[in-house]
Amino acid sequence: MEEGRQLNTWEGYVNWRNRPALRDRHGGMLAASFVLVVEILENLAFLANASNLVMYLSKFMHYSPSSSANIVTNFMGTAFLLALLGGFLSDAFFTTYRLYLTSAAIEFVGLLILTVQAHIPSLKPSIYASASTEIPFEKVDGHKEAVLFTGLYLVALGVGGIKGSLPPHGAEQFDDTNTQGRKQRSSFFNYFVFCLSCGGLIAVTFVVWIEDNRGWQWGFGVATAAILTSIPVFLLGSPIYRTKIPAGSPITTMFKVLVAAIYNNCKSKNPSNTVMGMETSPSSYGTETGEEESDTKVKVPSQTLTEDLKFLNKAITAKPASLMLQCTVKEVEEVKIVLRIIPVFMCTIMLNCCLAQLSTFSIQQAATMNTKIGSLKVPPASLPVFPVVFVMIIAPTYNHVIIPFARKVTKTEMGITHLQRIGTGLILSIIAMAVAALVEIKRKKVAVELGLLDSAEPLPITFLWIALQYLFLGSADLFTLAGMMEFFFTEAPTSMRSLATSLSWASLSMGYYFSSVLTSIVNNITGIFRHTPWLSGSNLNHYHLERFFWLMCLLSGLNFFHYLFWANRYKYRT
């Protein structure tokens, strides 16, 4: 009877009450569907403000265009970087279930603060500065600025926790020991990006319209209501969720292996420190290999060290210098896996630097153009509707048409590999930056020919030209983000899957930070050789955005060749 009960449970997983998860009751596509609905609400709350925040900061908080762009990229970068913290806490101490609920509550508080500030005039800067100053607007400062940044970075902290816990929580619902479960998990990641886009579509249309026509307090209010609603929706799935039991800090294990390998390599001339491979006593790792053997998906050798990254093999010795540095073959091989996926992660940062332009300079470009479609005036911050709609069309097509066709042609389970998806996204980002440069040249040509360089009036050129770069970058995001999440989740050791999945968001974060750094470097260098830097001032018509976009195109091309170098050498572990 006891044996039958054990066969009916998911080993290493519990339900929301911390009891063993049952195979016939917990997990599966139904459980993951709650996660997908929650993602719509969560991304609506986050993107509603992020997509239009640059306009809020410049028009209502009176920051310059470049300062507004940097604040937005730093905010977005921090939010996505904190996903690493969320992933680490999910793997090491909390469950993904509990971490999502905590993070959603934190984001709710941050959005509530921003809503209150947008509603109360005394918490915003005055429309006009004092008569004694030459500055036409009073810039936000003091306690008003403190309220603004407190709200923004509480939102960033909450978003980081959600991004680090929600995708792996959904992916954990599938049985990766059989083909059907792995295919369903692959579909989950595709539909996760689809739902992310659904939330984005509502954000950049309905919520942005509210912000521009009814006031920012209403826009922040809708976002606050959305994240609050996501909590009971998430709780509805509690009876059927299965949650991975935290396995302790994976970072501690990584440091232990690295320190042991470095120490033993330095002492390698001493015969007493010779490396042991298969001869290593099974007792030194037997307690861990049993856990690994229970997961037939993972193919890490339990008793044999691989030849890749051979210097790490010396972490295993007959007589370790300290019991704290005693490593198992499983631990060494897991660290090798992490080190092999890091170069792939690094190569995606440049693509996300390109994506950062969607929420900064591209919106400011559109604001200088004719944003009417017939009699309908479209807010510039609604421009992302084009890539969002395209993603919503291509994601189901990819999942139900392209992937089944690729599986038949290649006769493989994946059809299109994760690295091929990421590579496709990198190519599309190069095209997007070239298109962005050409469109900016056209926009400025119109301004020069009509003598409107110094005019605040919209240029007689449709903003739909900007939609072209959104289309290519949106497609790049679909291929890369879904590919990265599935790649990192599938390839990473079981004990650090949440942390590894968070690398997808960390790549976005570093892309946003790199965008800010690149803007500063470009301004500093061009300011030395020219009287005016490329990206400085309050008038976008005097910027040299086309040169900046050509630079991004060149850097993206070099990055793609760097990616090919690592992708061609990567060996899948499954």
Side-chain angles (χ1 to χ4, degrees):
M1 185 75 176
E2 185 66 27
E3 184 180 351
R5 181 175 178 80
Q6 288 179 352
L7 289 173
N8 193 40
T9 60
W10 293 109
E11 187 176 348
Y13 292 88
V14 293
N15 64 11
W16 69 291
R17 292 181 175 176
N18 218 30
R19 297 172 183 168
L22 304 177
R23 288 181 175 271
D24 56 355
R25 189 179 301 175
H26 300 108
M29 188 58 84
L30 180 60
S33 65
F34 285 97
V35 173
L36 296 176
V37 175
V38 167
E39 177 55 25
I40 295 175
L41 295 167
E42 182 274 326
N43 205 46
L44 189 163
F46 175 56
L47 202 59
N49 304 311
S51 64
N52 207 17
L53 186 59
V54 69
M55 302 303 291
Y56 177 70
L57 293 172
S58 58
K59 285 189 175 181
F60 297 95
M61 294 298 168
H62 307 152
Y63 288 100
S64 69
S66 58
S67 295
S68 301
N70 277 341
I71 291 171
V72 171
T73 51
N74 290 339
F75 161 70
M76 300 276 279
T78 301
F80 290 127
L81 188 63
L82 285 170
L84 284 176
L85 176 63
F88 169 75
L89 292 175
S90 297
D91 282 330
F93 306 111
F94 304 99
T95 61
T96 50
Y97 177 86
R98 292 178 181 175
L99 191 64
Y100 173 80
L101 294 173
T102 304
S103 301
I106 293 171
E107 185 178 351
F108 169 74
V109 172
L111 285 169
L112 196 61
I113 291 172
L114 293 175
T115 305
V116 170
Q117 182 179 36
H119 182 69
I120 300 176
S122 62
L123 293 177
K124 294 183 287 186
S126 302
I127 297 177
Y128 298 103
S130 62
S132 61
T133 67
E134 297 179 358
I135 304 172
F137 298 105
E138 179 193 359
K139 184 181 174 183
V140 66
D141 59 5
H143 73 282
K144 299 172 185 177
E145 192 172 36
V147 171
L148 172 67
F149 283 98
T150 299
L152 280 178
Y153 283 92
L154 275 175
V155 171
L157 180 61
V159 168
I162 290 171
K163 299 297 186 189
S165 59
L166 195 60
H169 181 72
E172 285 169 1
Q173 305 308 314
F174 303 100
D175 181 8
D176 59 3
T177 62
N178 62 61
T179 301
Q180 183 185 4
R182 292 193 292 271
K183 286 182 177 180
Q184 286 181 331
R185 185 178 63 194
S186 182
S187 296
F188 165 79
F189 281 116
N190 288 327
Y191 277 104
F192 186 87
V193 176
F194 173 83
C195 291
L196 186 144
S197 299
C198 286
L201 178 64
I202 301 170
V204 301
T205 52
F206 175 65
V207 182
V208 166
W209 183 87
I210 287 177
E211 290 167 348
D212 287 348
N213 295 277
R214 292 291 181 266
W216 270 84
Q217 67 272 26
W218 291 103
F220 282 128
V222 170
T224 306
I227 197 64
L228 184 63
T229 306
S230 76
I231 295 175
V233 171
F234 182 80
L235 289 172
L236 283 174
S238 298
I240 56 174
Y241 290 145
R242 68 170 194 161
T243 308
K244 182 168 67 69
I245 300 171
S249 172
I251 294 177
T252 304
T253 302
M254 289 186 64
F255 274 116
K256 179 180 73 170
V257 171
L258 291 172
V259 170
I262 292 169
Y263 178 82
N264 293 336
N265 271 284
C266 291
K267 302 273 289 182
S268 60
K269 291 183 179 180
N270 188 332
S272 65
N273 285 278
T274 52
V275 180
M276 298 187 70
M278 291 182 65
E279 292 78 21
T280 304
S281 171
S283 63
S284 66
Y285 55 87
T287 56
E288 294 180 85
T289 55
E291 175 193 344
E292 200 69 25
E293 286 166 0
S294 67
D295 186 359
T296 58
K297 165 71 175 168
V298 180
K299 303 295 184 182
V300 177
S302 60
Q303 295 187 358
T304 306
L305 291 166
T306 59
E307 292 299 308
D308 292 340
L309 301 170
K310 288 181 67 174
F311 76 97
L312 289 177
N313 292 352
K314 290 193 176 184
I316 300 177
T317 65
K319 297 178 181 178
S322 166
L323 285 177
M324 293 180 64
L325 295 180
Q326 186 173 25
C327 303
T328 67
V329 174
K330 172 177 172 283
E331 289 172 340
V332 172
E333 290 302 308
E334 287 185 347
V335 172
K336 287 182 180 182
I337 291 166
V338 174
L339 292 181
R340 282 197 295 264
I341 66 177
I342 285 177
V344 175
F345 157 73
M346 296 296 289
C347 292
T348 61
I349 293 173
M350 188 62 218
L351 176 141
N352 290 308
C353 180
C354 297
L355 284 173
Q357 310 315 313
L358 294 185
S359 54
T360 54
F361 289 127
S362 293
I363 290 176
Q364 292 170 343
Q365 279 178 291
T368 69
M369 303 167 79
N370 178 13
T371 59
K372 287 186 177 180
I373 300 179
S375 61
L376 176 66
K377 187 175 182 180
V378 180
S382 290
L383 259 178
V385 72
F386 294 102
V388 162
V389 169
F390 186 72
V391 166
M392 291 176 66
I393 294 170
I394 198 69
T397 305
Y398 181 86
N399 193 66
H400 296 289
V401 178
I402 298 174
I403 283 294
F405 177 75
R407 283 171 178 159
K408 287 182 180 179
V409 172
T410 62
K411 293 185 167 82
T412 60
E413 185 179 305
M414 285 191 290
I416 298 174
T417 68
H418 308 136
L419 294 178
Q420 287 171 344
R421 291 190 68 172
I422 296 171
T424 303
L426 295 180
I427 292 172
L428 289 170
S429 71
I430 298 171
I431 298 171
M433 286 296 98
V435 169
L438 293 172
V439 169
E440 175 62 7
I441 290 171
K442 183 177 180 65
R443 188 191 71 84
K444 285 184 69 175
K445 184 180 178 182
V446 171
V448 171
E449 288 177 349
L450 299 178
L452 296 174
L453 275 176
D454 298 310
S455 174
E457 293 296 315
L459 299 174
I461 176 175
T462 177
F463 77 118
L464 292 177
W465 284 103
I466 302 291
L468 289 173
Q469 65 210 52
Y470 274 78
L471 194 64
F472 283 107
L473 280 174
S475 306
D477 193 26
L478 167 67
F479 279 96
T480 306
L481 183 58
M484 276 197 296
M485 286 196 294
E486 188 175 0
F487 173 71
F488 293 138
F489 186 90
T490 304
E491 294 297 298
T494 308
S495 61
M496 56 180 79
R497 278 181 164 176
S498 296
L499 180 61
T501 308
S502 300
L503 288 175
S504 307
W505 308 111
S507 174
L508 271 169
S509 164
M510 293 183 184
Y512 277 100
Y513 281 132
F514 184 53
S515 176
S516 296
V517 171
L518 192 60
T519 302
S520 299
I521 292 174
V522 165
N523 277 341
N524 289 335
I525 294 176
T526 55
I528 294 172
F529 297 102
R530 298 172 56 88
H531 294 297
T532 307
W534 282 2
L535 309 171
S536 179
S538 58
N539 189 338
L540 201 71
N541 291 333
H542 293 294
Y543 281 35
H544 287 288
L545 267 181
E546 73 284 356
R547 298 176 185 176
F548 181 67
F549 288 149
W550 282 125
L551 176 64
M552 297 277 284
C553 183
L554 174 64
L555 293 176
S556 297
L558 294 173
N559 178 68
F560 177 68
F561 287 109
H562 179 222
Y563 172 79
L564 286 179
F565 175 82
W566 293 106
N568 286 330
R569 284 159 178 75
Y570 189 85
K571 294 179 181 177
Y572 288 96
R573 61 191 292 247
T574 55

